[in-house]
Amino acid sequence: MNPHVELVIVQLCFTALALGAKLALARVPPNALVLARVVGGAIAFFAIARAWGRVRVARRDVPAIVGCAVLGVVINQVLFINGLARTTAVNATVIGATIPVFVAALAMATGREPFRGRRVAGVAVAFAGTLALVGADRFDLTDAHVVGNLMVLVNAMSYAAFLVYVRPLALRVPAMTLVAALFAAAIPFVLPLGVAEWTAFAPAMTGRDGALVLLVVAATVLAYAVNQHAIGRADASVVALYIYLQPILTALGAVVLLGERPGLRTAVSAAVILVGLAIATLRRPVTT
């Protein structure tokens, strides 16, 4: 399959996560949804890795896998889903789209990438738009949207750190084996939060809640598997470019499915964030 088609499929999957999870949260407690996604993902990725012939990891990689699982699965899932429960799908997706900016900032701060003035300027512009969107000028912990926006922002920062620190592992551990190990390592951390909510929710499950399976399959397994395959066939800048589709797709879907009506503040903040993302991540064309 063409990598550009794969990247569009990935963005559709992540859009389905924001919209599907928002719909599911009307009935499913957030941490029960996190538990279903992590456990379901671990089982599916283990089966895929086993089918591909390798499920073992070296003992020396275990501490790094656990650390990356905390950053990229535990904090990522818990804060995104709980933040989404408190804010709009559009806000969550726009803030989540800043991940490439935080990756660039952390990579430069840790010396993994050279310092570039253009990239720093892009980070600053995008972060300013993010602060406007999360409501930094009217900070109020009694405002559910402000709390939800902040949770999604910390989630984006955590996932950005994961992307930076997981790279050495990704160079020596097969893709599906690594993803399976990450999700498996995350289970003990999400169990205490999710079991109580799942126990209370499970007896009330109905046919409508069967959508949880689709949410796990499409927004977790398919998204991660196709994205990992596309990353190996497309430049990082191209992969980052397709992330910009998420706010657009989510905004359209939120209007149709959720009845959300993004206001002027959201629209302006999103535009500023996207400009910053473009400045920070897009490469200048090479001229001869």
Side-chain angles (χ1 to χ4, degrees), residues 73-158:
V73 182
V74 180
I75 296 176
N76 170 251
Q77 298 282 342
V78 171
L79 290 186
F80 181 80
I81 298 298
N82 280 274
L84 183 63
R86 294 165 173 82
T87 190
T88 66
V90 173
N91 280 5
T93 306
V94 170
I95 296 169
T98 61
I99 289 171
V101 169
F102 292 125
V103 170
L106 184 58
M108 287 187 292
T110 58
R112 285 173 166 79
E113 291 187 8
F115 181 91
R116 294 187 178 93
R118 182 169 177 265
R119 182 160 290 187
V120 172
V123 168
V125 170
F127 193 62
T130 304
L131 289 178
L133 183 58
V134 301
D137 59 318
R138 51 184 173 80
F139 185 78
D140 181 2
L141 286 178
T142 63
D143 185 329
H145 277 197
V146 170
V147 174
N149 289 341
L150 286 173
M151 293 175 80
V152 177
L153 177 60
V154 176
N155 143 74
M157 293 177 174
S158 178

Side-chain angles (χ1 to χ4, degrees), residues 173-209:
V173 181
M176 287 300 103
T177 300
L178 178 56
V179 177
L182 290 169
F183 271 73
I187 291 176
F189 295 95
V190 301
L191 273 176
L193 294 170
V195 166
E197 289 189 2
W198 182 265
T199 302
F201 161 72
M205 284 185 68
T206 66
R208 288 184 296 169
D209 301 314

Side-chain angles (χ1 to χ4, degrees), residues 251-277:
L252 293 174
V255 169
V256 175
L257 299 175
L258 304 177
E260 292 183 8
R261 296 293 186 270
L264 180 62
R265 182 190 189 97
T266 298
V268 172
S269 298
V272 172
I273 290 170
L274 292 177
V275 169
L277 282 166

